[in-house]
Amino acid sequence: MKNLVGIDQQKAQKLVVKLNDLLANYQLFYQNLRGLHWNIKGKEFFELHIKFEELYNDAILKVDEIAERILTLEGEPLHTFTDYLKTAQIKEECGVANGIKGVKIVVKNFSTLIKKERSILSLAASADDEGTVSLMSDYISQTEKTLWMLNSYLK
């Protein structure tokens, strides 16, 4: 049986589970970025304060897009920090003030996210879910470029 947007319900449910996992990880990523933005100190303060803000603004948009995609697939997005903490592989970071350490955390978090996005892309393609494929494809290309830039910064 197919759901409202024409995707097999069982395949859509598998996508909902993976998208909820991505949602939880993006929520922790977002909060980590907020902490980095607020607590950064040192000679990289001005550039990283702005960069972390740019990244958390982007992350919060993705949180909303992922939740809305889950709803489009007739699922329910996770919406409590209890669920996010139980689900996410990205861990909370606390009290990081060193810029290089902060960028390394962001790179590590992005690496986790891109693996999840690739997995969802593959599953969505096999489910003929062009909406999720498009979303993940956009996220992956943006994340790849951001990872390249952050890694260049660290060199």
Side-chain angles (χ1 to χ4, degrees), residues 41-142:
K41 295 186 178 25
K43 65 181 179 177
E44 303 99 354
F45 171 81
F46 289 105
E47 62 192 292
L48 290 179
H49 184 75
I50 292 167
K51 179 51 96 176
F52 293 145
E53 182 175 10
E54 173 191 317
L55 292 171
Y56 76 65
N57 283 332
D58 180 68
I60 201 64
L61 292 173
K62 285 181 170 68
V63 163
D64 194 52
E65 290 171 343
I66 295 164
E68 289 175 352
R69 189 67 199 161
I70 292 166
L71 290 162
T72 299
L73 295 173
E74 300 179 0
E76 182 179 340
L78 298 177
H79 56 275
T80 68
F81 273 96
T82 301
D83 287 336
Y84 299 149
L85 289 167
K86 279 194 298 192
T87 304
Q89 285 70 53
I90 291 176
K91 300 301 178 204
E92 296 174 301
E93 299 291 343
C94 184
V96 177
N98 177 278
I100 298 300
K101 183 176 180 185
V103 172
K104 287 179 180 178
I105 289 167
V106 172
V107 166
K108 184 176 89 173
N109 288 179
F110 265 132
S111 295
T112 298
L113 293 170
I114 202 167
K115 286 176 192 166
K116 293 180 177 303
E117 292 162 356
R118 288 186 199 287
S119 175
I120 293 167
L121 177 71
S122 178
L123 183 61
S126 70
D128 294 324
D129 177 1
E130 184 58 35
T132 304
V133 165
S134 177
L135 194 64
M136 291 303 107
S137 181
D138 289 347
Y139 288 5
I140 290 166
S141 63
Q142 183 183 7

